[in-house]
């Protein structure tokens, strides 16, 4: 059959998130293959659609049992992809899951590309392109807030704003074009200066949209918060506290953490990626040295830095060195003084002399942690309005198109400055409008012509 | 049954601007051709404005000429005034426009047809198309004669069921007092072709002796005259002027008071008129706050006192027309020779055509011009030329000539018609062309003459001349790019006089030419060893260098565009099997059956999301068929 899709499979739970892994298979062969590797009460084919079965996974080559599984059978078309779908729940995390996957691949199932299930849902008419793109974002969104943005995008908030800007460009274009196509008529000629002013307005709004992307990215992919500081300051302890897990090893030996550790946490509905780092100090230990280098890289790439100071030890030489290193990142540095349970006013003052403002916490006594979380939240929302009312660009393709539109406007403006002719200026404005039209799905040239006839009186 | 006469390869129905080009192209390509006209004295008539060219239309004429068509040559021979429009607005929109002595134009074109080898002219009305199994086999005329043929090109203009409307008077008629073609419509319907009804109009003609030109603005022609045809280097001719006057408050009042008598507003006219060619009453209603409108007084020829009132077309009753005309400054005593009228006619929905202008469902049937929903002489001629070419290519079992949107305005025109369709008579505009900076009138020969040569429409002699010109252009561009200019006092004085920044170190001559305030001509002063070159060469040289960056950018866009055009959609594709398509898109695609992804993307009702679905689907098929091949 010509139009038949092949069958695909992938682990559909995020790796390492939980004890259970879900493997999803979609496509015409999924039932046949499931039949071959599943052993339960009765054969797979005899089960009803949309039921969950208990059984064992076996290796069809040698009959050996791999794992106990729960298996869901869903027949087309009432499935996510509108194809036959099988979902296998197995425990034992990534390793077992990969084994099952390998088995499936051996049976002729193809590994799914990233987002391919959604792509199929889209192709089979379950969702449209804008939805598909938003769903792709939803898949990777880890918390509620982010989902909300994905949803409001489905509702076309972005489209409305992009359309408004595009309309502005179309208006300018019509005024230029009517002059080019009807030179014998006495319209007020659009001047380059006027054109430039109007372009500038549109450009400003476009920039705001583009900037919203980095914020959208934080909401979608999580903001990266680096925890840095001298050895033994309590960095790993803080990571464990914020993530409510015993993720990092904590000892009173300075230099415990050698590598970077990442952990996702949810702070007031925002996804945050915490990064614990090796304590920063001069060291001859080869392993630790690498850790320190990595920590420095993280300082650079993260969205927010928590510089942890130790109230017990006070301000030391190492702290001074670290201060110098983060000097250039002052915009994104939050100073945190830990171990306030084991200090005296003297030591705190010592620190205050060097650093005027900081947050006081004690991981041990669980004090100041709430305030710290609030600071993180505030930082994300810094100078932003309520996210619920923001028009956010969360999709990389949209951002790229917006940037290309901006380039077009810049080119038009520079053509105006250089004294270029209207045909050239119009070319750049048109390409900007076209880029925006690619987001909203409009054909610019037709609209310009429509606009000309609506606004100008021309003809024989 | 009638008598059967001579057999032809190609029969052209109608000898207007489309028909003439179609007939000449077919005959020149060696097909035995006949062109039929209702009136032998009306060949290549201009029943409306007595001019050729203008924005975008001038481009079309250049392209017709570059491919080996006739319109440009004929216009050059008979023009009585020439102007280049938009000279300050950029090379993409420089446009030639000429006032034509319309009787001379007709005589000239008719004589060209008469002299053409392989071409017969016949004064007979075609009443029936004869088909067998949806394939053209001949035509039948009003005299009952049957002419067997392999292909028919319909170029019926506004003649099909033509009906003229003036106020509450209306009667069956072709344009300009000619007989309509009333019977062919039925034959077309019999073949399952759905017909639409379009409308257009023309203003009154006045005896110039009754006009006072002293209160009007004179509009003389340009000197020197720039020819349309690449075959002509110069035209040396006495020119006549046009005049500009304006409507007055009184004119507008007459319209407002008599609006109820306009057939447009009383409902007598059912045809759809063009927005860009509105009747004057339309202008007054739609743009109520515009205080005055321009009216251009244009001569109809050298041996006539008739003049044309451009901008003043109407279908008001004659008594209102007289009042209207006489309310114009300078026309208080105007003597109207022909009244303005609106004309309705049958045309097809061009969506039923292939990009080659062949009917999708009837083999051997091709159409061009107003019957395809366009308006304008130039638009008609351009389609006629392509229709003639493709009718013959089809006879020889060759691929049709399809110019794409990046190659020619002709490509934009035909693609718009057959892909987007039209709800009103379609006029070419430069804003319709995406790649305007490339589709200039100065380089039409570079774009199209090699194609015309391959088709046999461009003579060897002309082609050699063309190649020489291209070499000269390249050589001069090279020279200017290489030539060093040192910051001498002489050079800096020159720059200062041009209002341009002085140079401190050496630059290339091309760098100076790129400055907007400096022209190729003015550079002569500091470029003494410049070779003597014809204007047609230096113009292209100057544009190529001056706009180099922008042209490059456009070429990159064109490359992108070509990719989509080259992704062909299999002819047997079943859109109903692609369930990801929205219902509307699925219907439109199934109906229109675009040849490429590019064409599909321009169909109205097909969204970018639908195109993504198509892309994924086509990729999937090719991937699978590749796998199957392995
Ligand atoms: N008194 C007190 N001790 C704390 C507090 N937080 C952490 N500690 C202790 O400080 C010591 C070091 O803690 P870690 O979290 O391992 O410190 P670190 O900054 O990750 O150290 P390195 O990984 O070596 O750089 C441990 O013994 C913790 O129990 C606190 O708030 N109060
Ligand atoms: Mg640690």
């Amino acid at each position: 059959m010509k139009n038949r899709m092949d069958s695909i499979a992938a682990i559909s739970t995020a790796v390492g998130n939980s004890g259970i892994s879900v493997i999803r298979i979609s496509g015409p062969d999924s039932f046949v293959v499931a039949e071959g590797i599943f052993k339960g009460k009765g054969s797979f084919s005899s089960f009803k659609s949309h039921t969950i079965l208990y059984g064992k996974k076996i290796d069809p080559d040698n009959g050996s049992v791999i794992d106990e599984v729960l298996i869901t059978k869903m027949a087309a078309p009432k499935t996510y992809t509108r194809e036959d779908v099988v979902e296998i729940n197995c425990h034992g995390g990534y390793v077992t899951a990969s084994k099952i996957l390998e088995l499936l691949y051996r049976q002729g199932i193809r590994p799914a590309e990233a987002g391919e299930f959604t792509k199929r849902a889209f192709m089979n008419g379950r969702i449209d392109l804008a939805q598909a793109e938003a769903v792709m974002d939803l898949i990777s969104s880890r918390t509620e807030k982010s989902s909300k943005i994905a949803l409001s995008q489905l509702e076309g908030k972005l489209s409305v704003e992009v359309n408004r800007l595009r309309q502005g460009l179309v208006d300018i274009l019509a005024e230029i074009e009517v002059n080019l196509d009807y030179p014998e008529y006495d319209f007020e000629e659009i001047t380059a200066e006027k054109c430039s002013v109007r372009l500038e307005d549109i450009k400003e709004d476009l920039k705001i949209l583009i900037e919203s992307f980095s914020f959208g990215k934080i909401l979608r992919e999580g903001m990266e918060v680096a925890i840095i500081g001298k050895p033994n300051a309590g960095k790993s302890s803080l990571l464990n506290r914020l993530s409510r897990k015993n993720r990092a090893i904590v000892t009173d030996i300075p230099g415990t953490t050698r590598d970077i550790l990442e952990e996702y946490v949810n702070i007031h509905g925002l996804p945050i990626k915490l990064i614990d780092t090796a304590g920063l100090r001069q060291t001859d230990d080869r392993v630790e040295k690498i850790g320190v280098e990595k920590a420095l890289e993280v300082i650079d790439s993260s969205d927010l830095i928590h510089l942890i100071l130790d109230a017990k030890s006070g301000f030391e030489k190492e702290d001074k060195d670290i201060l110098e290193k983060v000097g250039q990142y002052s915009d994104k540095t939050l100073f945190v003084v830990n171990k306030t349970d084991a200090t005296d006013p003297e030591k705190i003052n010592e620190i205050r002399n060097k650093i005027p403002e900081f947050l006081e916490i004690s991981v041990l006594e669980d004090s100041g942690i709430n305030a710290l979380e609030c600071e993180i939240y505030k930082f994300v929302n810094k100078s932003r309005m309520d996210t619920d009312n923001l028009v956010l660009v969360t999709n990389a393709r949209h951002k790229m198109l917006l940037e290309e539109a901006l380039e077009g406007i810049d080119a038009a403006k520079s053509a105006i400055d250089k004294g270029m002719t209207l045909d050239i200026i119009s070319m750049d404005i048109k390409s900007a409008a076209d880029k925006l039209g690619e987001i909203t799905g409009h054909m610019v040239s037709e609209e310009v012509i429509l606009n000309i006839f609506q606004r100008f009186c021309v003809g024989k | 049954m009638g008598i059967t006469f001579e057999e032809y390869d190609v029969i052209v129905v109608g000898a207007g601007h489309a028909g003439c080009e179609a007939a000449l192209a077919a005959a020149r390509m060696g097909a035995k051709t006949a062109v039929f006209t209702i009136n032998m004295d009306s060949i290549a008539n201009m029943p409306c404005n007595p001019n050729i060219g203008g924005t975008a239309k001038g481009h079309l004429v250049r392209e017709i000429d570059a491919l080996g068509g006739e319109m440009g040559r004929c216009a050059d021979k008979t023009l009585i005034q020439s102007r280049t429009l938009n000279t300050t607005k950029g090379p993409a929109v420089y446009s030639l426009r000429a006032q034509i002595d319309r009787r001379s134009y007709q005589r000239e074109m008719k004589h060209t047809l008469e002299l053409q080898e392989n071409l017969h002219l016949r004064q007979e009305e075609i009443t029936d198309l004869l088909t067998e199994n949806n394939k053209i086999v001949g035509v039948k005329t009003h005299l009952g004669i049957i002419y067997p043929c392999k292909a028919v090109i319909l170029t019926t203009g506004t003649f099909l069921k033509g009906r003229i409307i003036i106020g509450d008077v209306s009667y069956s008629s072709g344009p300009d007092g000619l007989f309509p073609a009333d019977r062919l419509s039925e034959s077309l319907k019999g073949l399952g072709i759905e017909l639409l009804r379009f409308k257009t109009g023309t203003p009154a003609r006045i005896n110039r002796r009754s006009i006072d030109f002293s209160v009007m603005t004179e509009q003389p022609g340009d000197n020197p005259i720039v020819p349309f045809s690449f075959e002509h280097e110069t035209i040396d001719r006495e020119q006549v002027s046009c005049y500009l006057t304006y409507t007055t408050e009184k004119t507008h009042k007459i319209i407002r008071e008599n609006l109820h008598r306009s057939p447009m507003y009383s409902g007598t006219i059912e045809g759809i008129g063009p927005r860009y060619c509105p009747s004057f009453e339309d202008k007054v209603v739609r743009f109520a706050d515009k205080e005055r409108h321009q009216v251009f007084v244009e001569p109809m020829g050298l041996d006539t006192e008739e003049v044309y009132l451009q901008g003043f077309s109407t279908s008001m009753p004659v008594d209102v027309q007289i009042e209207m005309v006489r309310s114009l400054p300078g026309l208080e005593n105007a003597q109207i020779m022909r009244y303005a009228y609106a004309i309705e006619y049958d045309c097809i929905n061009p969506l039923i055509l292939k990009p080659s202008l062949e009917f999708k469902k009837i083999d051997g049937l091709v159409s061009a011009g107003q019957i395809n929903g366009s308006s304008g002489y130039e638009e008609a001629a351009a389609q006629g030329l392509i229709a003639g070419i493709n009718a013959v290519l089809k006879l020889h079992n060759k691929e049709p000539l399809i110019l794409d949107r990046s190659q020619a305005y002709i490509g934009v025109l035909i693609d718009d018609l057959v892909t987007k369709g039209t709800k009103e008579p379609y006029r070419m505009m430069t804003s319709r062309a995406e790649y305007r900076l490339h589709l200039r009138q100065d380089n039409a020969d570079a774009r199209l003459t090699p194609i015309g040569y391959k088709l046999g429409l461009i003579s060897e002699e002309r082609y050699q001349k063309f190649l020489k010109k291209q070499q000269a252009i390249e050589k001069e561009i090279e020279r200017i790019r290489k030539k060093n200019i040192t910051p001498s006092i002489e050079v800096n004085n020159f720059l200062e006089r041009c209002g341009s920044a002085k140079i401190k170190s050496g630059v290339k001559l091309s760098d100076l030419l790129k400055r907007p305030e400096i022209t190729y001509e003015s550079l002569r002063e500091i470029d003494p060893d410049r070779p003597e070159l014809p204007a047609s060469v230096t113009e292209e040289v100057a544009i190529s260098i001056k706009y180099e960056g922008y042209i490059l950018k456009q070429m990159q866009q064109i490359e992108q565009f070509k990719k989509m055009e080259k992704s062909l959609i299999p002819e047997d594709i079943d859109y109903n099997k692609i369930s990801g398509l929205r219902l509307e898109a699925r219907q439109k695609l199934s109906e229109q059956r675009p040849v490429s992804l590019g064409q599909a993307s321009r169909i109205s009702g097909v969204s970018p999301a639908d195109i993504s679905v198509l892309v994924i689907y086509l990729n999937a098929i090719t991937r699978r068929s590749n796998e199957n091949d392995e």
Side-chain angles (χ1 to χ4, degrees):
Chain A
M1 226 165 67
K2 213 172 174 191
N3 300 332
R4 216 181 70 162
M5 293 290 249
D6 44 7
S7 301
I8 52 171
I11 300 176
S12 73
T13 43
V15 172
N17 247 9
S18 63
I20 297 215
S21 298
V22 178
I23 292 159
R24 185 188 271 166
I25 316 170
S26 177
D29 301 328
S30 42
F31 286 1
V32 185
V33 171
E35 174 97 64
I37 60 172
F38 178 77
K39 201 172 158 190
K41 288 187 203 156
S43 73
F44 182 83
S45 54
S46 65
F47 294 118
K48 270 205 230 131
S49 177
H50 292 82
T51 54
I52 300 179
L53 334 157
Y54 169 81
K56 292 191 172 77
K57 277 254 108 72
I58 50 160
D59 190 330
D61 293 344
N62 53 25
S64 67
V65 175
I66 297 173
D67 192 15
E68 286 185 317
V69 294
L70 284 175
I71 195 161
T72 315
K73 177 179 178 181
M74 289 170 283
K78 278 193 191 163
T79 67
Y80 180 64
T81 54
R82 286 211 170 153
E83 299 173 329
D84 286 343
V85 168
V86 175
E87 280 182 3
I88 303 165
N89 297 260
C90 60
H91 34 245
Y94 187 69
V95 182
T96 330
S98 329
K99 254 195 198 152
I100 296 178
L101 266 186
E102 254 171 54
L103 193 68
L104 293 172
Y105 298 159
R106 278 216 306 272
Q107 307 298 309
I109 307 256
R110 179 168 65 74
E113 291 156 20
E116 197 173 358
F117 290 105
T118 302
K119 212 189 254 173
R120 288 193 174 197
F122 158 63
M123 277 201 59
N124 293 328
R126 230 186 69 100
I127 51 178
D128 73 23
L129 180 66
Q131 277 177 327
E133 288 184 333
V135 170
M136 301 275 199
D137 289 344
L138 260 179
I139 292 169
S140 51
S141 77
R142 290 181 171 79
T143 60
E144 233 177 294
K145 269 259 158 65
S146 186
S147 317
K148 227 184 228 167
I149 287 166
L151 286 174
S152 88
Q153 184 167 338
L154 294 181
E155 283 153 20
K157 247 188 185 175
L158 177 71
S159 294
V160 171
E161 175 64 2
V162 172
N163 238 335
R164 189 181 68 80
L165 298 180
R166 200 181 51 84
Q167 201 51 54
L169 293 175
V170 168
D171 284 346
I172 300 174
L173 275 174
E175 280 165 55
I176 295 178
E177 294 299 322
V178 76
N179 273 296
L180 300 182
D181 267 319
Y182 292 93
E184 61 271 48
Y185 286 83
D186 52 349
F187 307 114
E188 191 193 335
E189 292 214 0
I190 184 166
T191 61
E193 298 83 71
K194 258 198 221 160
C195 193
S196 199
V197 170
R198 283 162 68 183
L199 285 177
E200 186 61 39
D201 285 349
I202 294 171
K203 184 181 159 175
E204 283 313 307
D205 290 345
L206 209 52
K207 268 182 161 166
I208 293 175
L209 264 188
I210 293 172
E211 276 165 23
S212 80
F213 179 77
S214 53
F215 182 60
K217 181 174 163 256
I218 287 176
L219 289 185
R220 194 178 63 255
E221 290 173 8
M223 184 175 75
E224 293 188 358
V225 178
I227 305 175
I228 63 160
K230 69 183 170 197
N232 230 19
K235 300 182 291 298
S236 303
S237 308
L238 181 62
L239 176 95
N240 286 347
R241 169 60 191 84
L242 289 175
S243 64
R244 298 183 176 82
K245 276 182 202 161
N246 257 334
R247 180 81 169 80
I249 302 167
V250 169
T251 73
D252 55 2
I253 307 163
T256 304
T257 309
R258 300 289 187 93
D259 205 351
I260 333 195
L261 262 180
E262 294 177 352
E263 188 60 38
Y264 275 97
V265 302
N266 176 333
I267 292 176
H268 300 318
L270 297 173
I272 304 285
K273 185 177 178 186
L274 286 177
I275 307 170
D276 185 18
T277 61
L280 295 169
R281 66 169 171 190
Q282 292 286 55
T283 172
D284 294 329
D285 183 306
R286 264 177 61 204
V287 178
E288 195 180 351
K289 219 172 178 171
I290 295 172
V292 169
E293 269 160 28
K294 275 194 177 173
L296 291 175
E297 275 167 30
V298 168
I299 289 175
D300 186 64
S301 67
S302 61
D303 300 301
L304 176 62
I305 299 168
H306 285 356
L307 201 172
I308 314 293
L309 291 117
D310 188 340
K312 202 166 150 188
S313 70
F315 196 86
E316 295 178 311
K317 161 104 184 21
E318 282 151 341
D319 293 308
K320 188 170 163 267
D321 293 345
I322 296 171
L323 265 190
E324 268 167 28
K325 286 204 174 78
V326 300
Q328 55 170 311
Y329 302 105
S330 59
D331 278 359
K332 61 171 188 182
T333 308
L334 186 71
F335 297 98
V336 180
V337 175
N338 186 26
K339 304 192 193 175
T340 52
D341 57 284
T343 183
D344 51 66
E346 198 116 309
K347 296 265 188 228
I348 295 275
N349 269 337
E350 197 181 300
I351 297 175
R352 187 158 287 130
N353 281 337
K354 307 284 179 192
I355 300 164
E357 250 181 85
F358 50 78
L359 229 98
E360 296 180 29
I361 64 164
S362 163
V363 176
L364 191 77
E365 291 189 337
D366 204 17
S367 72
I369 303 295
N370 257 339
L372 179 69
E373 287 182 339
C374 283
E375 278 308 312
I376 294 175
Y377 184 77
K378 263 197 260 166
F379 180 84
V380 176
N381 279 318
K382 194 170 63 184
S383 77
R384 302 281 181 189
M385 295 164 302
D386 186 3
T387 52
D388 294 345
N389 295 321
L390 256 185
V391 181
L392 275 187
V393 178
T394 58
N395 178 293
R397 186 180 75 94
H398 293 162
K399 185 199 174 212
M400 201 183 73
L401 288 167
L402 291 170
E403 277 169 345
E404 286 172 355
L406 192 70
E407 271 170 37
I409 292 179
D410 278 334
K413 290 191 66 186
S414 97
I416 292 174
D417 292 344
K418 275 193 261 168
M420 291 312 267
T421 43
L422 281 178
D423 58 343
I424 299 290
I425 296 167
S426 136
M427 185 174 148
D428 288 321
I429 301 178
K430 171 128 188 312
S431 91
D434 273 332
K435 292 298 172 193
L436 298 184
E438 271 183 56
I439 297 177
T440 59
H442 287 86
M443 296 232 216
V444 173
S445 69
E446 254 152 63
E447 275 180 49
V448 171
I449 288 164
L450 203 76
N451 195 311
I452 289 178
F453 295 131
Q454 268 162 8
R455 291 169 60 199
F456 301 96
C457 181
V458 289
K460 54 185 171 186
Chain B
M1 274 275 82
I3 358 155
T4 297
F5 269 19
E6 214 166 339
E7 181 173 346
Y8 290 100
D9 292 328
V10 177
I11 282 179
V12 181
V13 184
H17 303 284
C20 289
E21 295 292 351
L24 285 171
R28 285 169 180 163
M29 286 172 72
K32 188 178 175 196
T33 308
V35 57
F36 285 78
T37 173
I38 283 183
N39 186 327
M40 200 53 84
D41 295 319
S42 298
I43 287 175
N45 188 23
M46 297 184 194
C48 199
N49 51 320
N51 53 50
I52 282 181
T55 51
K57 291 162 174 273
H59 292 74
L60 284 172
V61 179
R62 275 281 169 99
E63 290 178 354
I64 292 166
D65 184 72
L67 275 173
E70 203 56 41
M71 182 173 248
R73 274 193 293 246
C74 198
D76 283 348
K77 286 183 196 153
T78 57
L79 62 82
I80 53 179
Q81 188 210 74
S82 159
R83 293 177 66 194
T84 302
L85 308 175
N86 279 338
T87 46
T88 59
K89 293 172 191 162
V93 292
Y94 295 165
S95 306
L96 273 176
R97 184 187 132 121
Q99 298 301 138
I100 306 287
D101 182 317
R102 74 161 181 160
R103 288 291 174 232
S104 305
Y105 186 91
Q106 283 183 269
R107 260 197 311 276
E108 184 64 40
M109 187 62 87
K110 180 174 175 235
H111 199 203
T112 307
L113 297 182
E114 289 163 350
L115 290 172
Q116 179 60 48
E117 220 33 58
N118 296 329
L119 181 58
H120 292 175
L121 286 80
R122 292 183 175 274
Q123 177 169 299
E124 265 168 283
E125 179 191 340
I126 305 292
T127 56
D128 293 279
L129 298 186
L130 309 176
T131 60
E132 272 166 24
N133 304 324
N134 286 325
K135 187 173 171 11
I136 289 288
V137 293
V139 299
K140 191 171 161 191
T141 77
H142 73 305
L143 299 176
I145 302 168
I146 287 171
Y147 295 91
C149 67
K150 295 177 186 133
V152 166
I153 303 174
L154 294 173
T155 55
T156 53
T158 60
F159 281 76
L160 278 188
K161 282 244 171 86
R163 188 171 75 117
I164 280 181
I165 304 126
I166 305 172
D168 48 11
V169 179
S170 94
Y171 53 93
S172 162
S173 171
D176 229 354
L178 295 159
F179 287 115
D182 278 339
R183 283 173 282 185
L184 187 57
S185 284
E186 295 316 312
S187 170
L188 292 176
K189 279 187 201 157
L191 292 174
I193 299 166
E194 189 200 340
L195 294 177
L196 307 175
R197 200 111 175 110
F198 274 11
K199 173 224 133 185
T200 184
T202 192
R205 313 296 196 277
I206 318 288
N207 189 319
R208 81 155 62 226
R209 295 200 306 125
S210 64
I211 300 176
D212 174 11
F213 290 101
S214 69
V215 295
M216 302 183 188
T217 319
E218 184 176 354
Q219 296 195 310
D222 290 347
N223 257 313
I225 295 173
V226 180
F228 279 110
S229 175
F230 290 98
E231 282 183 11
H232 303 147
E233 213 55 79
T234 52
I235 297 172
D236 195 16
R237 195 170 304 156
E238 190 92 26
Q239 298 187 57
V240 296
S241 291
C242 295
Y243 291 86
L244 169 63
T245 186
Y246 292 90
T247 61
T248 59
E249 178 44 37
K250 195 174 157 203
T251 325
H252 298 199
K253 198 167 151 236
I254 296 166
I255 296 290
R256 284 194 296 270
E257 280 169 1
N258 289 286
L259 210 53
H260 60 285
R261 299 183 63 198
S262 153
M264 283 300 287
Y265 291 87
S266 66
T268 318
I269 291 183
E270 47 177 271
I272 307 161
R275 285 166 300 176
Y276 45 76
C277 183
S279 59
F280 184 68
E281 46 271 32
D282 265 347
K283 295 186 187 179
V284 173
V285 172
R286 286 186 45 220
F287 299 93
D289 45 353
K290 198 164 157 81
E291 278 165 24
R292 58 177 201 173
H293 298 266
Q294 291 157 306
V295 176
F296 298 91
V297 181
E298 302 179 0
M300 302 272 288
L302 292 180
D303 59 356
T304 174
E305 299 307 310
E306 255 188 291
V307 296
Y308 172 93
L309 293 186
Q310 155 105 351
F312 214 54
S313 118
T314 180
S315 51
M316 282 290 196
V318 292
D319 56 311
V320 183
Q321 285 194 27
I322 296 170
E323 265 193 86
M324 282 166 62
V325 168
R326 292 191 172 168
S327 71
L328 301 174
L331 285 141
E332 292 83 356
N333 300 309
Q335 187 214 329
I336 297 182
M337 294 174 68
R338 307 186 203 209
Y339 289 104
Y341 62 79
I343 183 165
E344 278 186 353
Y345 53 95
D346 284 349
C347 60
I348 62 160
N349 177 351
L351 292 180
I352 64 174
L353 301 177
K354 298 182 195 171
S356 59
L357 294 178
E358 296 166 274
F359 280 67
K360 287 173 186 165
K361 294 202 171 124
I362 300 166
D363 205 41
L365 188 58
V366 190
S367 68
Q370 267 166 307
I371 188 175
N372 287 351
S374 65
S375 87
Y377 313 142
E378 304 81 354
E379 288 87 341
Q383 293 170 63
L385 176 59
I386 299 294
I389 291 170
N390 284 336
V392 177
L393 288 176
K394 173 84 186 272
L395 295 182
H396 298 162
N397 279 321
K398 287 195 183 136
E399 285 294 306
L401 173 66
I402 297 168
L403 299 172
D404 72 39
R405 302 181 76 89
S406 70
Q407 275 177 298
Y409 272 87
I410 299 177
V412 176
L413 165 70
I414 294 176
D415 182 63
D416 273 348
L417 286 173
V418 306
T419 306
K420 295 175 191 162
T422 182
K423 293 196 172 66
E424 61 187 338
Y426 175 103
R427 176 204 200 266
M428 199 64 228
M429 296 165 72
T430 69
S431 23
R432 297 192 195 272
E434 294 84 351
Y435 311 109
R436 195 160 62 182
L437 191 55
H438 176 56
L439 304 187
R440 302 189 311 272
Q441 55 168 28
D442 61 277
N443 68 2
D445 55 346
R447 291 184 277 120
L448 300 171
T449 293
I451 297 174
Y453 175 67
K454 256 187 221 139
L455 291 167
L457 293 172
I458 296 285
S459 69
E460 185 62 42
E461 184 197 341
R462 177 168 169 186
Y463 186 61
Q464 290 308 324
K465 214 177 119 199
F466 159 78
L467 290 180
K468 271 210 191 102
K469 177 185 164 190
Q470 296 311 113
Q471 279 161 8
I473 292 169
E474 263 167 52
K475 208 170 142 203
E476 177 64 353
I477 291 177
E478 264 314 291
R479 188 187 71 82
I480 293 182
R481 282 216 181 105
K482 283 198 180 127
K483 170 145 186 163
N484 289 309
I485 299 291
T486 50
S488 65
I489 298 174
E490 188 209 344
V491 164
N492 275 330
N493 278 346
F494 161 78
L495 289 173
E496 199 172 0
R497 255 180 291 124
C498 295
S500 196
K502 293 181 181 177
I503 52 171
K504 294 197 186 76
S505 54
V507 295
K508 300 284 181 205
L509 189 58
S510 55
D511 294 328
L512 292 183
L513 183 50
K514 277 183 188 158
R515 299 182 175 185
E517 61 277 8
I518 287 177
T519 64
Y520 178 83
E521 251 335 284
S522 66
L523 278 176
R524 176 184 294 277
E525 199 179 317
I526 56 167
D527 181 25
D529 41 349
R530 153 182 308 189
E532 233 9 90
L533 291 164
S536 56
V537 170
T538 59
E539 185 186 8
E540 225 181 305
V541 168
I543 294 171
S544 303
I545 291 181
K546 236 178 174 20
Y547 299 93
E548 192 178 20
Y550 291 96
I551 292 174
L552 207 77
K553 204 182 325 175
Q554 186 113 93
M555 294 324 274
Q556 285 162 355
Q557 290 170 353
I558 288 177
E559 225 167 87
Q560 278 303 314
F561 159 82
K562 292 257 190 198
K563 257 185 223 158
M564 286 284 275
E565 296 306 293
K566 278 186 197 141
S567 323
L568 298 183
I569 299 175
E571 259 176 57
D572 59 348
I573 190 168
D574 183 354
Y575 290 104
N576 286 319
K577 282 194 183 146
I578 315 172
S579 41
L581 293 172
R582 288 169 318 111
L583 190 66
E584 189 193 0
R586 204 181 306 169
Q587 282 168 350
K588 288 271 169 70
L589 289 166
S590 307
E591 245 169 60
Q592 292 195 36
R593 311 207 64 79
V595 294
S596 66
L597 272 178
Q599 198 192 2
S601 72
R602 292 188 293 274
I603 293 175
S604 82
V606 176
S607 72
D610 296 316
I611 293 301
S612 305
V613 172
L614 257 184
V615 170
I616 297 172
Y617 177 81
L618 292 178
N619 283 348
I621 320 186
T622 30
R623 193 170 63 199
R624 241 189 320 279
S625 68
N626 286 349
E627 276 165 10
N628 289 347
D629 291 347
E630 275 161 21

